[in-house]
Amino acid sequence: TISGGRPMMRHGIRPGDLLYCTGPMGRGNAFAAAMLAHLPSPPSFAPTARLREGMAIRDVVAACMDSSDGLLTTLDQLGRVNDVGFDLSTSWQRALDPSALRRAREMDIPPWVFLAGPHGEFELVFTISKETAPPEHEEVRVGGVPCVYLGRASRERHVRLPGMGSFSPDHLAGIRNLDPPDGHGMQRYLKDLLAVGDAAGVSTAS
């Protein structure tokens, strides 16, 4: 609840609006992968609701959603609500948490997997109108909060990862509808997830 002022909603995105998040992506999925695959030294992970950050940025945000189900699911839902897609920045891998990049190398899988898994990191993913957005730097401050630049909203209904390929709404739905991994199904989940990537034409090379 808020005591007054403008609430943040999931709708209000227009093509060209800039996309940001309040912190690195992929940490939750990196933690889940380490635990479920019984890998050594799983990263510490304690998800926290970004209430302070939300209050700080709400006056300039066009639309917002948390990343508790993973970034690709978040972008898919925002895209469906607003009839837009998203083109991620050419440096999108820099938005990944170091633990996610490290796990991708250790498990010999592409880094986008850690944006697709269902174990998100509870950061806020939001857009700002192209007329009022700050410059497209990798790190900016919004309402005094350090944020990471992710890309732009587009007219084409897809999520494009430069250098990897694009996921259509159907492929994103396929990712969302996979049975979530557990301690006995981690390899099956990865196989099914990479199959969706292959069907979408997204690189599955590590």
Side-chain angles (χ1 to χ4, degrees):
T1 59
I2 58 176
S3 58
R6 177 179 173 272
M8 291 192 296
M9 308 292 284
R10 293 184 181 184
H11 59 80
I13 303 174
R14 297 177 298 166
D17 288 356
L18 273 64
L19 179 71
Y20 302 88
C21 58
T22 53
M25 297 283 104
R27 187 179 183 89
N29 283 312
F31 175 78
M35 296 297 290
L36 295 175
H38 307 291
L39 299 176
S41 303
S44 60
F45 179 60
T48 303
R50 303 301 185 197
L51 301 179
R52 179 184 64 82
E53 291 85 349
M55 292 297 290
I57 67 177
R58 68 183 175 127
D59 288 339
V60 296
V61 163
C64 181
M65 183 176 172
D66 71 73
S67 64
S68 56
D69 292 327
L71 180 63
L72 291 188
T73 290
T74 300
L75 296 182
D76 180 40
Q77 294 190 42
L78 288 174
R80 290 174 189 273
V81 168
N82 294 279
D83 195 25
V84 297
F86 296 95
D87 292 332
L88 297 192
S89 163
T90 55
S91 57
W92 64 269
Q93 293 194 41
R94 296 186 183 182
L96 280 165
D97 189 89
S99 64
L101 291 170
R102 184 168 61 252
R103 291 300 169 195
R105 291 192 297 268
E106 292 173 353
M107 299 176 70
D108 195 29
I109 54 179
W112 62 259
V113 165
F114 293 94
L115 302 178
H119 300 281
E121 50 287 306
F122 291 80
E123 298 292 347
L124 299 179
V125 177
F126 62 94
T127 61
I128 300 179
S129 166
K130 58 187 176 183
E131 288 83 12
T132 59
E136 297 179 28
H137 299 309
E138 290 171 10
E139 295 185 7
V140 299
R141 297 188 75 85
V142 179
V145 177
C147 296
V148 180
Y149 172 65
L150 290 176
R152 283 180 174 267
S154 68
R155 295 186 184 279
E156 187 174 350
R157 285 293 313 280
H158 64 196
V159 174
R160 185 173 69 89
L161 285 70
M164 291 284 178
S166 299
F167 289 102
S168 71
D170 286 345
H171 294 121
L172 293 168
I175 290 174
R176 286 201 336 269
N177 292 329
L178 292 176
D179 290 333
D182 56 33
H184 303 288
M186 185 66 184
Q187 292 304 316
R188 171 195 52 77
Y189 176 80
L190 285 175
K191 179 181 177 181
D192 291 345
L193 181 56
L194 292 173
V196 175
D198 189 56
V202 174
S203 173
T204 56
S206 57

